[in-house]
């Protein structure tokens, strides 16, 4: 469903992504790991269409379309969802209203009836229960005053409601306590289906104990330098990134 | 904000849908201003002597005054001799009952979304419709009268309730108050009058809809609301004008009087024509609005949403004379393109334990300039007075401006005055976040802006809140992306 070829991107004249290649098939879960600053969030943001990043080379096919040619909101309506590493706050706009407006845009795009307030409330209640969220969270302003963990959980609530085809989770686990992580993982596993795909960006093997990935990739210095099965995550947990960095370094030297 | 321009553009340029002109024959008087003109206006309205006297005194006072220059507003001088001070639609039959209103006028108000036929009206709202210089119809008059509530045009009040008019006219905004108030007092042509007797809770929203139609005329209306002991009334006002590339002057006066335990809620959605993208045309809106909490435990709230006009100069205030009285001011002011607004409030604490709350939300886009100017004055005898002021500005784009001038004078030590202010921008990241959830840029901006205004909107009557939030989207069309 997603094919990234030689994707290069810059921000502020700085080259961050230096030729990413990645194929995600329908029904798969891919984990992306890698040291701080390696470009994981940048990749996620570029896929979602953040205006701060300029794609300088490469292409991205999504469901047979040129993803990069679509505006961010069109990507969202086509089923690309990004759970942000740093969710934004919107003062004065209730969580429920925000979600319903977004969901209805997506439904409109799909040619479905918009949900009225009552129908939506039913859906929202069900998903909030799944995520074990306080009912009061729905009427609070979007992410305003939410704790770090609450924000992350709220992202997954949004994902559960929008029901995307491709969900990208950028470090959703950081900031979550152990119980919260289990709850979130449970929601993600419930969401997983043969009709969608998930990319999980994470630093920790722990999350992958609950959300079992089909593939694990290591991003370093703007490139995917290693890919493997779920064992790769265990190996990283044990050995850290040094050996990967070294390998990548030698590779690069060899290339020069 | 590099993502924004397209949407902001698109937003800002959506058509002003009230910009049409009604083809109707008018009864106009010659251009210009002098004592004869004032006599002519007074005669047309068949006014008692005391009114004419009052107008003339106001006019003579006005001649000695100067147009205020302290506001943060820039406009070319107004030629007061080039304005037509009275224009009334010629009607086949005399004004008064609804079935006598000219078809063309009924259609005009219908087109503005204000059907005047009572059966078509929202059940809970009574309307006084003012077209250019005169009130053309007031709905639900009889029904209100059963409760002793007088709701009619100002002209009718002068004819039928001269004692009430005489007793209260100018008691809150004297004609000498300021330049525009003096001008209004001299030439005002109509407006609304409302009197709620002791202990009566007005069962419906009262509203006045002002429509400027004729060219080169000024609109000078005057509204007076008196709430007797223990009564309650909620009043709303709306306004629109045709699109023209010359400026038109609107100088209104509103006076509110709340006696012991009375409560008046006054809401405005101001949508006068704002001028075009280059700043041509639009209404000059110079308005004096003031309420007096004359009795103990009385309460007056102003809620305003100012989205129209090329220039807005307006400071609805409350004189807190009664002990324990409460004054409130909730405002959203939007300036886009070349619009300028200098608006705020005056809270004058005189009585003991008086309280005031000010929440001002200024939104600037395009080349718009938005100024909050507020005065909180606590007199020596106003022991235990309290004020809370919050002034927030939201900037859309980087060519607009927001300015805040809070003046505070506290003359006793048992009172507290609190002021908070903040200026924010809609960030690209916020818009991106919304887009990532499927929202268009326009929707995102409108949602963020509405969220910013929430504290004010929640004080508006339902009918108005929906309208206001839509209007906000429209005024900002083309502002962000
Ligand atoms: N908008 C931007 N402007 C300039 N530099 C940026 C921008 N976004 C990211 N960068 C830089 O690009 C590099 C990659 O950042 P990115 O956020 O993608 O890393 P990451 O792999 O997600 O790291 P972490 O694990 O810490 O979240 C960093 O050096 C970062 O400072
Ligand atoms: Mg990151």
């Amino acid at each position: 469903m997603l094919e990234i070829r030689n994707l290069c991107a810059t921000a502020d004249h700085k080259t961050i992504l230096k030729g990413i290649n990645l194929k995600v098939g329908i029904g798969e879960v891919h984990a992306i790991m890698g040291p701080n600053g390696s470009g994981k969030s940048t990749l996620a943001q570029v896929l979602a269409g953040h205006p701060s990043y300029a794609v300088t080379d490469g292409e991205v096919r999504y469901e047979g379309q040129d993803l990069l040619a679509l505006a961010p909101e069109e990507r969202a309506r086509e089923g690309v969802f990004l759970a942000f590493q740093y969710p934004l706050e919107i003062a004065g706009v209730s969580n429920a209203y925000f979600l319903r407006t977004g969901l209805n845009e997506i439904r409109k795009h799909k040619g479905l009836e918009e949900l009225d307030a009552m129908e939506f409330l039913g859906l929202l209640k069900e998903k909030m229960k799944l995520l074990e969220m306080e009912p009061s969270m729905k009427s609070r302003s979007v992410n305003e005053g939410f704790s770090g963990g609450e924000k992350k959980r709220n992202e997954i609530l949004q994902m559960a409601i929008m029901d995307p085809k491709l969900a990208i989770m950028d470090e959703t686990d950081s900031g979550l306590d152990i119980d919260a992580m289990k709850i979130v993982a449970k929601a993600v596993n419930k969401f997983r289906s043969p009709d969608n795909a998930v990319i999980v960006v994470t630093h920790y093997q722990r999350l992958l104990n609950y959300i079992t990935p089909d593939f694990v990739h290591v991003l370093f210095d703007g490139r995917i330098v290693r890919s493997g099965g779920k064992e790769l995550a265990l190996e990283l947990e044990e050995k850290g990134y040094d050996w990967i960095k070294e390998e990548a370094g030698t590779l690069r030297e060899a290339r020069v | 904000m590099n993502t924004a321009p397209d949407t902001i553009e698109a937003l800002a340029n959506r058509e002003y849908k009230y910009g049409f002109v009604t083809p109707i024959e008018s009864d106009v008087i010659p251009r210009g201003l002098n004592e004869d003109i004032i006599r002519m206006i007074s005669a047309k309205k068949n006014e008692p002597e005391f009114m004419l006297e009052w107008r003339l005194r106001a006019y003579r006072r006005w001649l000695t005054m100067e147009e205020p220059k302290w506001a943060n507003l820039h406009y070319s001088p107004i030629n007061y001799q080039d304005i037509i001070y009275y224009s009334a639609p010629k009607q086949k039959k005399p004004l008064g009952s609804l079935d006598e209103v000219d078809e063309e006028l009924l259609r005009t108000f219908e087109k503005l979304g204000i059907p005047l036929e009572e059966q078509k009206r929202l059940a809970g709202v009574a309307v006084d419709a003012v077209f250019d210089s005169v009130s053309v119809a007031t709905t639900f008059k009889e029904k209100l009268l059963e409760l002793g509530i007088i709701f009619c045009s100002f002209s009718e009040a002068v004819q039928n309730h001269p004692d009430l008019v005489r007793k209260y006219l100018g008691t809150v905004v004297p004609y000498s108050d300021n330049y525009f108030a003096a001008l209004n007092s001299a030439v005002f042509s109509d407006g609304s009058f409302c009197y709620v007797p002791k202990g009566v809770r007005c069962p419906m929203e009262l509203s006045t809809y002002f429509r400027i139609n004729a060219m080169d005329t000024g609109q000078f209306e005057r509204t007076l609301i008196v709430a007797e002991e223990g009564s309650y009334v909620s009043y709303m006002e709306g306004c629109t004008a045709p699109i023209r590339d010359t400026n038109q002057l609107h100088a209104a006066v509103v006076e509110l009087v709340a006696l012991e335990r009375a409560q008046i809620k006054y809401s405005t959605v101001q949508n006068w024509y704002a001028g075009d993208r280059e700043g041509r045309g639009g209404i000059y809106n110079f308005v004096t609005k003031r309420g007096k909490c004359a009795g103990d435990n009385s309460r007056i709230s102003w809620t305003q949403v100012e989205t129209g006009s090329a220039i807005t100069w307006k400071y609805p205030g409350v004189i807190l004379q009664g002990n324990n009285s409460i004054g409130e001011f909730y405002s959203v002011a939007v300036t886009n393109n070349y619009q300028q607004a200098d608006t705020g409030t005056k809270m004058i604490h005189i009585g003991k334990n008086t309280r005031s709350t000010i929440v001002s939300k200024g939104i600037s886009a395009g080349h718009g300039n938005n100024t909050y100017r507020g005065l909180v004055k606590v007199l020596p005898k106003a022991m235990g007075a309290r004020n809370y002021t919050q002034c927030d500005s939201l900037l859309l784009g980087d060519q607009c401006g927001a300015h805040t001038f809070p003046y505070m004078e506290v003359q006793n030590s048992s009172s507290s005055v609190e002021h908070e202010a903040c200026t924010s921008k809609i960030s690209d990241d916020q818009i991106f976040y919304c887009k990532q959830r499927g929202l268009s840029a326009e929707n995102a901006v409108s949602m963020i802006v509405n969220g910013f205004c929430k504290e004010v909107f929640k004080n508006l009557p339902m009918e108005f809140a929906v309208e206001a939030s839509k209007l906000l989207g429209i005024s900002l069309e083309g502002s962000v992306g």
Side-chain angles (χ1 to χ4, degrees):
Chain A
M1 78 164 11
L2 181 76
E3 186 171 359
I4 305 174
R5 250 175 289 168
N6 189 37
L7 183 64
C8 299
T10 59
D12 240 355
H13 309 291
K14 182 184 166 192
T15 303
I16 305 170
L17 301 184
K18 303 175 179 170
I20 302 270
N21 291 292
L22 180 67
K23 259 191 202 174
V24 177
I26 199 150
E28 296 175 356
V29 173
H30 290 241
I32 297 182
M33 306 183 77
N36 294 134
S38 55
K40 302 180 298 294
S41 293
T42 303
L43 174 61
Q45 300 274 345
V46 167
L47 291 177
H50 195 290
S52 298
Y53 301 95
V55 173
T56 50
D57 204 357
E59 65 168 333
V60 180
R61 309 289 306 172
Y62 166 75
E63 296 271 276
Q65 303 181 69
D66 176 2
L67 184 71
L68 302 177
L70 301 179
E73 63 273 29
E74 291 166 341
R75 299 182 199 193
R77 293 172 195 165
E78 286 289 335
V80 176
F81 181 92
L82 171 61
F84 283 60
Q85 182 174 4
Y86 304 108
L88 279 290
E89 300 182 358
I90 306 173
V93 177
S94 81
N95 222 359
Y97 182 72
F98 177 67
L99 264 170
R100 180 158 75 95
T101 312
L103 177 64
N104 278 337
E105 287 292 343
I106 292 169
R107 290 180 66 93
K108 247 192 306 195
H109 180 77
K110 288 186 185 161
L112 297 171
E113 288 268 315
E114 292 184 35
L115 294 187
D116 66 27
M118 284 314 289
E119 291 167 322
F120 176 74
L121 215 58
L123 176 68
L124 183 60
K125 267 193 188 146
E126 173 202 324
K127 301 295 183 190
M128 286 182 77
K129 215 169 135 194
L130 173 67
L131 280 148
E132 299 182 26
M133 287 170 76
E134 281 282 325
S136 65
M137 300 287 257
K138 63 177 179 293
S139 31
R140 282 174 60 181
S141 296
V142 180
N143 292 324
E144 203 186 30
F146 285 28
S147 75
E150 285 169 345
K151 283 184 184 172
K152 295 300 182 69
R153 212 187 285 204
N154 199 33
E155 291 292 286
I156 300 308
L157 171 70
Q158 300 190 23
M159 184 188 88
I161 283 178
M162 306 288 191
D163 193 23
K165 274 190 229 157
L166 174 65
I168 307 166
M169 298 164 50
D170 191 359
E171 290 198 28
T172 300
D173 53 338
S174 32
L176 291 179
D177 66 42
I178 298 169
D179 291 340
M181 197 171 74
K182 285 187 195 159
I183 292 165
V184 162
K186 186 181 73 189
V188 173
N189 285 328
K190 185 142 194 249
F191 161 77
R192 277 178 82 163
S193 91
D195 303 322
N196 59 32
V198 182
I199 298 176
V200 193
V201 175
T202 181
H203 284 294
Y204 306 107
Q205 152 63 24
R206 213 175 42 204
L207 178 71
L208 304 179
N209 284 337
Y210 302 104
I211 305 173
T212 318
D214 301 299
F215 301 94
V216 175
H217 311 275
V218 180
L219 192 61
F220 175 64
D221 193 21
R223 292 187 187 86
I224 289 182
V225 293
R226 204 171 192 59
S227 297
K230 58 174 190 278
E231 340 63 62
L232 179 56
L234 287 167
E235 202 177 346
L236 291 170
E237 178 93 343
E238 202 177 305
K239 302 204 279 190
Y241 288 116
D242 280 351
W243 60 286
I244 299 239
K245 289 183 187 170
E246 259 163 49
E247 263 184 31
T250 18
L251 262 178
R252 195 170 326 148
E253 268 157 39
R255 215 180 292 152
V256 173
Chain B
M1 299 196 41
N2 56 350
T3 52
D6 300 351
T7 336
I8 301 195
E9 276 285 281
L11 272 169
N13 303 326
R14 200 193 275 180
E15 197 96 34
Y16 178 72
K17 67 174 177 182
Y18 308 103
F20 61 91
V21 179
T22 304
I24 194 161
E25 218 187 317
S26 298
D27 171 16
V28 293
I29 61 170
R31 230 167 254 272
L33 186 55
N34 53 51
E35 293 203 2
D36 289 342
I37 291 281
I38 291 166
R39 286 176 207 282
M40 202 184 292
I41 294 173
S42 189
K44 276 195 180 294
K45 308 192 85 60
N46 190 27
E47 286 180 346
E49 191 59 25
F50 85 89
M51 276 305 310
L52 176 62
E53 287 300 314
W54 196 72
R55 286 175 181 277
L56 290 171
R57 281 202 301 275
Y59 175 67
R60 288 167 198 148
R61 182 60 182 255
W62 180 72
L63 288 175
T64 69
M65 298 167 98
E66 265 184 52
E67 202 176 311
K69 293 279 181 285
W70 43 261
N72 188 18
L73 300 170
H74 306 278
Y75 54 94
S76 32
I78 299 168
N79 180 354
Y80 292 91
Q81 294 304 336
D82 200 30
I83 294 172
I84 297 166
Y85 287 86
Y86 183 89
S87 166
K90 264 195 193 144
Q91 300 205 76
K92 286 153 207 113
K93 294 172 212 147
L95 295 173
S97 128
L98 270 177
D99 28 289
E100 288 160 0
V101 177
D102 191 286
E103 272 296 305
E104 195 64 51
L105 287 174
L106 287 179
R107 235 173 293 139
T108 299
F109 281 96
E110 181 116 28
K111 211 163 149 188
L112 294 168
I114 319 285
L116 297 175
E117 292 95 329
E118 286 183 6
Q119 61 275 22
K120 287 194 196 166
R121 292 289 315 162
L122 290 167
V125 186
V127 186
D128 182 25
V130 176
F131 190 88
D132 287 332
S133 306
V134 294
S135 164
V136 293
T138 309
T139 63
F140 294 113
K141 246 194 290 195
E142 286 78 23
K143 194 164 172 223
L144 290 165
L145 204 56
E146 286 168 18
L147 296 164
I149 299 170
I150 303 169
F151 179 48
C152 61
S153 72
F154 206 98
S155 315
E156 260 181 273
V158 170
Q159 299 302 321
N160 303 336
H161 312 281
D163 296 345
L164 282 174
V165 172
R166 198 168 188 168
K167 182 167 174 194
Y168 290 107
L169 179 71
T171 57
V172 186
V173 180
Y175 60 72
S176 56
D177 190 77
N178 68 71
Y179 188 80
F180 296 106
L183 177 64
N184 172 287
S185 305
V187 302
F188 80 92
S189 41
D190 217 334
S192 300
F193 175 83
C194 170
Y195 175 84
V196 191
K198 190 167 163 179
V200 172
R201 200 182 157 85
C202 183
M204 51 174 85
E205 300 281 342
L206 303 186
S207 76
T208 304
Y209 193 89
F210 296 101
R211 173 70 179 171
I212 294 181
N213 188 60
M215 195 143 93
D216 296 340
T217 55
Q219 175 138 330
F220 305 92
E221 83 270 0
R222 198 163 179 113
T223 296
L224 174 59
I225 300 177
V226 179
E228 287 277 11
E229 241 178 90
S231 67
Y232 166 87
V233 63
S234 167
Y235 180 93
M236 346 190 258
E237 120 197 296
C239 39
T240 57
I243 295 177
R244 293 222 170 80
D245 56 12
T246 51
N247 299 108
Q248 267 174 295
L249 178 64
H250 170 251
V253 170
V254 175
E255 297 180 280
L256 313 180
V257 181
L259 299 172
E260 211 178 303
R261 285 176 292 104
Q263 187 183 348
I264 303 176
K265 264 184 79 144
Y266 194 105
S267 315
T268 304
V269 171
Q270 185 264 107
N271 189 21
W272 295 120
Y273 177 53
D276 67 10
R277 293 166 63 189
E278 273 78 46
R280 274 183 308 248
I283 302 292
Y284 286 173
N285 192 33
F286 294 93
V287 172
T288 307
K289 293 184 167 174
R290 195 170 303 145
K292 191 198 264 182
C293 283
D296 290 355
N297 301 301
S298 56
R299 177 174 190 162
I300 290 179
S301 319
W302 297 101
T303 305
Q304 59 172 28
V305 177
E306 306 280 323
T307 62
S309 297
I311 289 186
T312 298
W313 179 99
K314 181 181 174 192
Y315 315 90
V318 184
I319 300 169
L320 296 150
Q321 194 176 57
N323 293 331
N324 312 312
S325 59
I326 299 174
E328 291 162 309
F329 174 74
Y330 302 100
S331 167
V332 166
V334 181
T335 54
N336 194 6
N337 298 322
Y338 287 87
Q339 280 178 279
Q340 306 173 56
D342 192 302
T343 183
T345 183
K346 276 188 198 172
M347 294 289 176
I348 313 295
H349 293 257
I350 300 171
K352 291 192 185 65
N353 299 315
T354 45
R355 275 178 288 155
S356 61
T357 302
I358 299 171
V359 177
S360 158
K361 304 276 181 175
I363 301 160
S364 319
H367 295 266
N369 245 309
N370 215 321
T371 301
Y372 168 80
R373 187 183 304 278
L375 169 67
V376 177
K377 190 168 181 169
V378 180
L379 297 181
K381 287 199 176 135
M383 304 303 280
R386 272 174 294 156
N387 161 267
Y388 171 73
T389 300
Q390 183 191 333
C391 285
D392 298 330
S393 310
L394 185 67
L395 301 175
L396 281 70
D398 40 26
Q399 286 172 308
C400 50
H403 318 272
T404 312
F405 300 104
Y407 304 99
M408 297 183 203
E409 295 171 27
V410 183
Q411 300 170 0
N412 72 52
S413 56
S414 66
S415 297
S416 78
V417 170
E418 214 182 309
H419 178 92
E420 282 176 29
C422 94
T423 298
S424 50
K425 276 193 154 199
I426 296 185
S427 73
D428 281 359
D429 283 327
Q430 260 179 328
I431 290 179
F432 176 64
Y433 187 62
C434 295
K435 285 182 173 178
Q436 217 306 301
R437 299 300 183 252
L439 272 64
S440 66
E442 286 185 17
N443 255 339
V445 172
S446 149
M447 185 180 269
I448 295 169
V449 169
N450 268 297
F452 175 75
C453 300
K454 189 180 184 177
E455 285 159 276
V456 174
F457 285 176
K458 70 171 190 227
N459 290 294
L460 286 172
M462 260 301 272
E463 296 83 359
F464 252 31
V466 176
E467 188 61 32
S469 120
K470 266 194 241 152
L471 196 58
L472 208 62
I474 294 169
S475 328
L476 289 171
E477 291 266 317
S479 306
V480 179

